[in-house]
Amino acid sequence: MVLQQVAKPTIVTRPDPDALAELGVPPERIPRHIGIIMDGNGRWAKARGLPRLAGHRAGTQNIRRVLEACRDFGVEVLTIYAFSTENWQRPPREVEGLMRLLSLSIHKQLKELDEEGVQIRHCGRLEGVMPRLRRRIEEAVERTKDNNRIILNVAFNYGGRAEILDAVRAIVREGIPPEEIDEEVFSAHLYTAGLPDPDLIIRTSGEYRLSNFLIWQAAYAEFYVTPAYWPDFDRQELMKAIRDYASRERRFGRLPDSSSG
Ligand code: IPE
Ligand code: IPE
Ligand code: MG
């Protein structure tokens, strides 16, 4: 399976046959792009009588496990919602803790992720991010840009509305005539330029909302909500989500394939 023309370099998935057999979903029914709203770290910690940051730590560690499972199933892009433009409104200590965790996990994991062929991308604004963390993100993106096994797209300091505004500004700045602005041109100015739209969006810990996540790109995504808190969302939970997705019929506004005349 190949990302046509759009993404550079081309992602060449190599699904693990045993993993696919266990999953029981044919390769053509595997979502190319999965977005995850990683929610519930705080509740996970609270349920254990731990501070919220312990939940964020466990949540950060969980990313690796889910990324590996996605790679084994042949998913091309995994977008994770790590920090929203609205999350700055949390108490300063929690915000600082989250920044520190991200910085640390890039520092600790970059070498291994690079060796495993993971292409790291950042999705969001880098303005306003502390210089040290900003440098680490830029380094991770630069170092892994030619990797082609799977894309880990990190939505950090991300907001769907901010992204749309940034695209509008870029389009106006470039002086593109109004009649030339179509969906393709617009998409090419989003942070996700070159990536396919998400096929499946998963939200952990039970809330039925997008919270400003990929609001343009999610137009036809299938939505899956699980009560599991993010730190508990493991390979088995991911398999449930993919099986559920694979059983659905996507219509994109058309009539079902079976009905004719
Ligand atoms: C998700 O967990 C992580 C971030 C939003 C950064 P939360 O921190 O939102 O956890 P809950 O919703 O309070 O349980
Ligand atoms: C969404 O979770 C943002 C991330 C997962 C990073 P929130 O916990 O911030 O969302 P709300 O506040 O419940 O909508
Ligand atoms: Mg939350």
Side-chain angles (χ1 to χ4, degrees):
M1 265 175 283
V2 157
L3 272 186
Q4 280 128 359
Q5 292 154 9
V6 284
K8 287 182 192 117
T10 307
I11 292 296
V12 184
T13 60
R14 275 180 281 143
D16 172 5
D18 294 337
L20 269 186
E22 190 192 355
L23 181 65
V25 169
E28 66 278 8
R29 289 233 151 206
I30 298 287
R32 293 177 68 193
H33 181 174
I34 297 180
I36 304 187
I37 303 170
M38 309 185 291
D39 200 13
N41 293 348
R43 277 163 278 179
W44 181 91
K46 194 172 177 202
R48 284 163 180 72
L50 297 169
R52 289 181 60 83
L53 268 178
H56 292 314
R57 202 169 302 119
T60 307
Q61 283 161 1
N62 192 41
I63 294 170
R64 194 60 187 275
R65 164 162 95 156
V66 171
L67 174 69
E68 277 166 19
C70 283
R71 180 203 57 197
D72 291 349
F73 298 141
V75 173
E76 294 168 45
V77 186
L78 172 64
T79 298
I80 49 169
Y81 203 6
F83 192 86
S84 74
T85 45
E86 289 72 37
N87 287 148
W88 291 105
Q89 297 167 66
R90 295 191 179 194
R93 272 187 56 184
E94 179 165 345
V95 171
E96 276 161 37
L98 281 164
M99 301 290 150
R100 216 170 338 106
L101 272 173
L102 181 70
S103 186
L104 201 68
S105 59
I106 298 175
H107 184 65
K108 281 210 227 148
Q109 297 194 24
L110 181 56
K111 187 166 174 283
E112 257 178 59
L113 290 174
D114 186 30
E115 284 164 3
E116 287 167 17
V118 178
Q119 184 189 130
I120 300 172
R121 292 199 187 195
H122 170 246
C123 181
R125 284 184 181 163
L126 279 179
E127 298 84 57
V129 176
M130 293 100 86
R132 211 167 103 101
L133 175 55
R134 186 177 172 151
R135 275 197 302 278
R136 281 209 171 141
I137 295 171
E138 286 168 339
E139 184 202 341
V141 170
E142 176 58 29
R143 176 162 166 180
T144 63
K145 68 179 192 311
D146 294 325
N147 290 345
N148 68 358
R149 190 74 197 277
I150 186 166
I151 293 173
L152 176 64
N153 188 34
V154 184
F156 170 78
N157 195 17
Y158 174 86
R161 288 186 173 180
E163 178 183 38
I164 288 171
L165 287 178
D166 282 351
V168 170
R169 288 188 189 127
I171 287 168
V172 171
R173 216 179 291 122
E174 287 169 33
I176 300 177
E179 59 280 7
E180 281 176 26
I181 305 170
D182 56 15
E183 292 186 11
E184 207 180 319
V185 167
F186 196 79
S187 296
H189 286 82
L190 294 170
Y191 308 143
T192 51
L195 299 180
D197 284 341
D199 302 294
L200 169 62
I201 290 186
I202 297 170
R203 182 160 188 150
T204 57
S205 61
E207 244 80 58
Y208 286 76
R209 55 177 173 262
L210 278 173
S211 300
N212 209 9
F213 184 55
L214 302 180
I215 51 179
W216 167 277
Q217 299 88 334
Y220 268 101
E222 295 293 327
F223 205 50
Y224 179 89
V225 176
T226 167
Y229 298 142
W230 170 247
D232 292 329
F233 186 89
D234 58 11
R235 197 182 178 94
Q236 294 302 321
E237 293 286 341
L238 180 69
M239 293 206 294
K240 276 195 243 167
I242 295 179
R243 286 187 193 123
D244 191 285
Y245 165 85
S247 72
R248 299 186 197 177
E249 182 184 40
R250 300 180 77 187
R251 296 197 193 134
F252 303 97
R254 296 184 292 258
L255 290 179
D257 285 344
S258 52
S259 67
S260 56

